[in-house]
Amino acid sequence: MQIGMDVSFSQRQQLILTPQMEQALHILQMGAEELNQCIEEEVLSNPMLEYGKKRGEVRAYQSYVNALADEKSSGPGLKEYLKMQLITKGLSPREQGIADFFIECMEESGYLKIDVGEISQRIGISKEEGEKTLGFLQGFDPPGVFARDLRECLLLQLTGKDENTKKARLLAEGHLMDIAKNKLPKICRETGFSLEEAAEGIAYIKKLEPVPGRGYGYGRERNLFLYPDVTVKKQGENYRIFLNKEKIPSLELSRENLPLLTQFQGKEESGYLKEQYNRAKMFLKNVGKREETLFAVTEALVERQEEFFEKGRGYLRPMNLMDIAQGLNMHESTVSRAVKDKYLECRWGVFEMKYFFSYKGPEGAFCNVKGRIQEIIDGEDKKKPLSDAGIAKILSEQGDCISRRTVAKYREQLQIPNTQMRKSFL
């Protein structure tokens, strides 16, 4: 066997992203919240950057947004609110201690999930005294608090003597599962109510609060303020685009540290300062480029979807990322990054910018299937609502061939109930 050495040459093309390009792409796909955090980190780490004059205005605006909460959410938590009521009841120290323990055992939702017997055993009282304490606490505000299940929660709120309350109470006592499944005929057979009476009772129940702790801190993390990145308004015959910069602080080169570039020229510190100066200029350029790209993409989107902005959701045109990219002479991935985590506000509401882009169908046609499903359901006969298979058949006749399971998945994503739940008996 011979062993030898050989030298050969080959050519290949490879795209290498420079640090500036990587940063530009990263900043482009940031939402307003993430960009705000990125700017704050950059200012802290780079002595050649500082906030512009609008920094105070941005802080004031953020404080205002953070304060947007309902009256209950900005007040005491549910347990604190119950203890405030407890103080006014004139209880003995022993009775107040027992009631305090029950309040601590209650969940943030307002429900009591621990067995009364177990609580009574923990604090050394009889189960009868525990039940008496529970009944006392169930009379506190908000109505429904200390319920052990949904049925009890609703019944605690149905204490009136009028006919509507009596009907609703009867329905809540024994027909909650049938109400959940919209089985009005069965409810009418078992209660003797007419369809109108049953519907009135159910409507009354639906006005009750199933989660007594809502608004007292429970679920507060879900009450997020949705901040639009872009606003589209009609002025005269044309639509104007406004980039919402109130939440994003303005930046500029540090006027205090710029003179240090010449002061330390030729010294060891000079290299570090020049590096930070170049980095600051690159960051400012990329933030500005993000604004330019977002504006251009939005402008092209509004131009293609003008009928939507004029008439509403039912007039959304089929459109994909490539349609925008070709019109702007951009790469499709650039458009995708530009709309990622961005929100657009118009007269019809606030929309994620991805909402305006459709998906590719099996034959290459682009169609907004979810929008079509919503439109079909909105126009159906509510006494004979369409099944998922029926919706799939209508879509197929219109050229959008998708399966029944896909229709069901999209319907659930749109938070539209199933056929039985959509059925109206009146």
Side-chain angles (χ1 to χ4, degrees):
M1 183 179 74
Q2 292 183 346
I3 300 176
M5 297 178 64
D6 184 36
V7 178
S8 60
F9 297 93
S10 64
Q11 285 185 329
R12 64 175 181 173
Q13 288 185 332
Q14 184 176 0
L15 177 63
I16 300 177
L17 293 178
T18 64
Q20 181 175 348
M21 291 173 64
E22 286 185 1
Q23 187 187 72
L25 294 174
H26 184 55
I27 289 175
L28 179 61
Q29 66 186 7
M30 287 182 180
E33 195 70 42
E34 189 179 359
L35 178 60
N36 200 5
Q37 185 178 349
C38 178
I39 287 173
E40 188 171 342
E41 292 173 357
E42 195 68 24
V43 170
L44 288 173
S45 63
N46 193 333
M48 287 298 171
L49 272 179
E50 67 181 14
Y51 290 114
K53 295 179 181 179
K54 292 184 178 181
R55 174 60 173 172
E57 296 175 14
V58 172
R59 283 189 179 277
Y61 182 82
Q62 287 177 324
S63 299
Y64 166 73
V65 170
N66 292 337
L68 287 175
D70 59 42
E71 294 178 5
K72 289 183 179 179
S73 294
S74 59
L78 180 58
K79 290 183 179 180
E80 288 75 12
Y81 181 54
L82 292 170
K83 289 179 180 180
M84 288 165 61
Q85 296 177 65
L86 192 62
I87 294 171
T88 67
K89 300 298 181 180
L91 302 178
S92 67
R94 179 180 178 276
E95 290 172 330
Q96 184 155 338
I98 293 171
D100 260 327
F101 193 83
F102 267 78
I103 290 174
E104 289 301 326
C105 291
M106 181 197 68
E107 294 187 351
E108 288 185 4
S109 62
Y111 281 86
L112 185 69
K113 295 296 186 180
I114 303 175
D115 182 70
V116 174
E118 183 181 339
I119 297 174
S120 302
Q121 187 177 6
R122 286 185 189 180
I123 53 180
I125 62 173
S126 66
K127 186 174 180 181
E128 290 73 20
E129 187 175 4
E131 292 285 357
K132 182 180 177 181
T133 302
L134 176 62
F136 168 68
L137 291 170
Q138 285 180 338
F140 280 31
D141 188 59
V145 75
F146 280 102
R148 285 160 287 189
D149 54 38
L150 176 62
R151 175 180 169 276
E152 187 175 30
C153 177
L154 298 175
L155 291 174
L156 286 170
Q157 299 174 62
L158 294 167
T159 56
K161 303 298 183 182
D162 59 282
E163 286 301 316
N164 285 335
T165 304
K166 289 179 181 178
K167 289 177 187 175
R169 187 173 182 84
L170 179 62
L171 292 173
E173 280 179 336
H175 301 279
L176 282 183
M177 286 303 296
D178 292 331
I179 291 173
K181 295 178 181 178
N182 198 27
K183 294 185 176 181
L184 259 69
K186 180 184 176 184
I187 293 171
C188 292
R189 287 196 304 270
E190 295 181 0
T191 62
F193 290 161
S194 66
L195 281 173
E196 290 78 5
E197 289 174 328
E200 286 175 4
I202 292 171
Y204 194 95
I205 289 173
K206 287 182 177 179
K207 292 178 182 178
L208 304 177
E209 175 55 77
V211 185
R214 197 196 313 270
Y216 292 89
Y218 180 74
R220 188 178 296 174
E221 66 278 1
R222 294 191 292 271
N223 298 328
L224 302 177
F225 182 83
L226 193 60
Y227 180 84
D229 298 86
V230 185
T231 298
V232 177
K233 291 182 178 179
K234 188 171 186 179
Q235 294 186 349
E237 295 298 319
N238 301 314
Y239 284 95
R240 288 198 61 188
I241 298 163
F242 300 90
L243 296 182
N244 298 322
K245 302 179 184 180
E246 291 89 350
K247 198 176 181 181
I248 302 173
S250 61
L251 288 176
E252 58 186 34
L253 293 172
S254 174
R255 287 169 287 183
E256 182 180 346
N257 293 331
L258 272 177
L260 297 178
L261 285 170
T262 55
Q263 184 178 337
F264 288 100
Q265 194 166 5
K267 296 183 180 179
E268 186 177 341
E269 294 87 347
S270 177
Y272 169 75
L273 291 172
K274 285 181 179 179
E275 180 185 342
Q276 296 304 311
Y277 172 72
N278 291 330
R279 179 179 161 186
K281 286 203 303 180
M282 181 176 72
F283 188 80
L284 289 172
K285 180 180 178 181
N286 288 333
V287 171
K289 187 66 176 175
R290 173 187 179 273
E291 292 180 1
E292 292 174 10
T293 305
L294 179 58
F295 186 90
V297 168
T298 306
E299 192 174 39
L301 185 153
V302 171
E303 184 179 341
R304 294 188 67 90
Q305 298 288 1
E306 187 171 352
E307 198 170 10
F308 166 87
F309 291 100
E310 191 69 33
K311 300 179 181 178
R313 296 172 185 252
Y315 295 86
L316 191 67
R317 286 183 57 192
M319 181 180 75
N320 67 337
L321 294 170
M322 185 60 71
D323 293 331
I324 299 296
Q326 289 177 344
L328 296 174
N329 197 25
M330 288 180 181
H331 194 275
E332 187 178 352
S333 63
T334 303
V335 178
S336 177
R337 288 186 175 94
V339 300
K340 184 178 184 292
D341 296 332
K342 312 293 192 309
Y343 291 86
L344 181 147
E345 180 186 24
C346 65
R347 61 189 293 194
W348 308 112
V350 178
F351 300 85
E352 189 175 10
M353 290 188 73
K354 287 185 178 180
Y355 170 84
F356 296 95
F357 297 91
S358 310
Y359 298 94
K360 192 170 185 180
E363 297 179 2
F366 285 85
C367 51
N368 193 313
V369 177
K370 288 184 184 178
R372 292 291 302 124
I373 291 172
Q374 179 76 64
E375 188 178 314
I376 291 168
I377 291 175
D378 287 345
E380 71 183 358
D381 181 355
K382 298 305 176 185
K383 292 185 178 181
K384 296 180 180 179
L386 293 163
S387 65
D388 293 334
I391 295 171
K393 183 179 178 182
I394 292 173
L395 288 170
S396 177
E397 291 170 354
Q398 296 174 349
D400 301 332
C401 299
I402 61 173
S403 67
R404 178 198 61 79
R405 293 179 62 183
T406 304
V407 170
K409 182 179 75 171
Y410 286 170
R411 176 178 53 74
E412 289 170 2
Q413 289 174 358
L414 290 166
Q415 297 183 341
I416 297 174
N418 61 26
T419 306
Q420 177 64 28
M421 295 303 297
R422 298 199 309 275
K423 187 172 184 178
S424 173
F425 295 90
L426 298 176

